[in-house]
Amino acid sequence: MQILKARVEAISPLTEFVYKVLLKPQQDAEFSAGHYLQLVLGEKDKRAFSIASSPSNKQELELHIGASGADSYAMQALEHLKTAHIDGTDVDLEVGLGVSQVRPEQARPIVLLAGGTGFSYVKSMADHLAEINYDQPVLFYWGVKEESALYAKAEMEAWAASKKNFQFIPVVENATDTWQGHTGFVHQAVMKDIISLEPYSVYMAGRFNMIGIVRDDFINHGANRDFMYADAFAFIK
């Protein structure tokens, strides 16, 4: 873990409820794709957020914060960041946390799965895999409730177009008649597309209750637990 101070460079809305935050650390940030950071609000008050940016960009950290409700965990953190941005003060960070970073040395096909703002966790890995010219298949599934929540759809379509072995598959739970892609639950789309998950490494992020269900269903669909990664595993049975 690295303890850093950082300036809040920008806060901008991605959707009605999701905000992009750019932080400039006072020194180079060291982390792996898939790590998270903690925003320190107090000695016993630290808020965890996935790092959306690639580890190659050591001088800027990008967060995607889904925040609604004045007293919510994320909204309180966002207000802390907004205040620091207005005042021009630094925020305190703990960077490089987690055990579910991408492991390209395994040289296995990869499924990246995100529910909602879990997107930021897998986006860092997707960008890193593109930068290192990873040559195994990489399937990026992003599940949202409404199509309007696919705030980075064009960006990820460009990512997929950059390499023959990359695919981006958005999944909309409550799809309209005009939506032409996958519908329903994101992990069920994975199981529909892939006969067996046995050869894959799987990285996933989303609500804890979602991840527990996905883990169990994926194991029943052939996935090897030793090649499944989610920081949520530390908090669920």
Side-chain angles (χ1 to χ4, degrees), residues 5-6 18-22 25 34 40 75-76 84 86 91 105-106 114-115 120 158 183 185 191 206 213 219 225:
K5 287 188 175 293
V18 181
Y19 297 83
K20 179 168 73 173
V21 178
L22 297 178
V40 180
M75 185 62 80
Q76 290 170 356
I86 293 169
V91 293
E105 68 278 3
Q106 291 176 348
S120 56
T183 60
F185 296 131
M191 294 188 295
I213 294 168
I219 289 173
R225 176 63 182 81

Side-chain angles (χ1 to χ4, degrees), residues 73-219:
Y73 175 101
M75 185 62 80
Q76 290 170 356
L78 188 63
E79 290 302 322
H80 178 81
L81 290 162
K82 286 180 177 179
T83 299
H85 183 47
I86 293 169
D87 294 344
T89 56
D90 290 337
V91 293
D92 294 311
L93 307 175
E94 296 176 350
V95 178
L97 300 166
V99 295
S100 301
Q101 67 273 22
V102 71
R103 293 160 167 82
E105 68 278 3
Q106 291 176 348
R108 293 165 60 91
I110 288 175
V111 169
L112 303 175
L113 181 145
T117 53
F119 170 81
S120 56
Y121 163 71
V122 291
K123 179 184 183 297
S124 177
M125 293 190 284
D127 289 344
H128 177 67
L129 292 169
E131 289 172 359
I132 65 172
N133 293 313
Y134 192 69
D135 61 2
Q136 295 292 316
V138 180
L139 284 67
F140 189 132
Y141 285 83
W142 185 16
V144 296
K145 288 192 176 295
E146 313 290 342
E147 184 180 351
S148 60
L150 293 170
Y151 55 82
K153 181 172 178 286
E155 179 182 358
M156 297 319 301
E157 287 172 342
W159 168 85
S162 71
K163 299 281 191 299
K164 291 183 179 179
N165 53 308
F166 290 177
Q167 293 184 57
F168 170 62
I169 306 98
V171 183
V172 179
E173 186 175 336
N174 302 318
T176 64
D177 293 339
T178 58
W179 175 251
Q180 297 183 354
H182 284 63
T183 60
F185 296 131
V186 62
H187 81 290
Q188 291 177 351
V190 174
M191 294 188 295
K192 181 179 179 181
D193 289 348
I194 300 173
I195 294 174
S196 172
L197 288 167
E198 188 275 331
Y200 288 84
S201 292
V202 181
Y203 300 85
M204 47 193 174
R207 300 185 313 276
F208 283 5
N209 59 342
M210 164 195 161
I211 293 302
I213 294 168
V214 173
R215 176 197 59 196
D216 296 344
D217 284 355
F218 277 6
I219 289 173

Side-chain angles (χ1 to χ4, degrees), residues 40-46 94:
V40 180
L41 274 63
E43 184 178 349
K44 296 184 178 180
D45 188 358
K46 302 175 182 181
E94 296 176 350

Side-chain angles (χ1 to χ4, degrees), residues 6-24 39 49 60-67 74-89 91:
R7 185 175 72 244
V8 183
E9 285 193 312
I11 301 175
S12 56
L14 294 167
T15 71
E16 184 180 356
F17 300 112
V18 181
Y19 297 83
K20 179 168 73 173
V21 178
L22 297 178
L23 303 169
K24 185 174 181 59
L39 174 66
F49 298 100
E60 186 175 73
L61 297 167
E62 179 178 332
L63 310 179
H64 297 178
I65 299 179
M75 185 62 80
Q76 290 170 356
L78 188 63
E79 290 302 322
H80 178 81
L81 290 162
K82 286 180 177 179
T83 299
H85 183 47
I86 293 169
D87 294 344
T89 56
V91 293

Side-chain angles (χ1 to χ4, degrees), residues 47-66:
R47 312 291 173 99
F49 298 100
S50 295
I51 302 171
S53 44
S54 169
S56 63
N57 189 357
K58 299 176 183 295
Q59 297 180 351
E60 186 175 73
L61 297 167
E62 179 178 332
L63 310 179
H64 297 178
I65 299 179

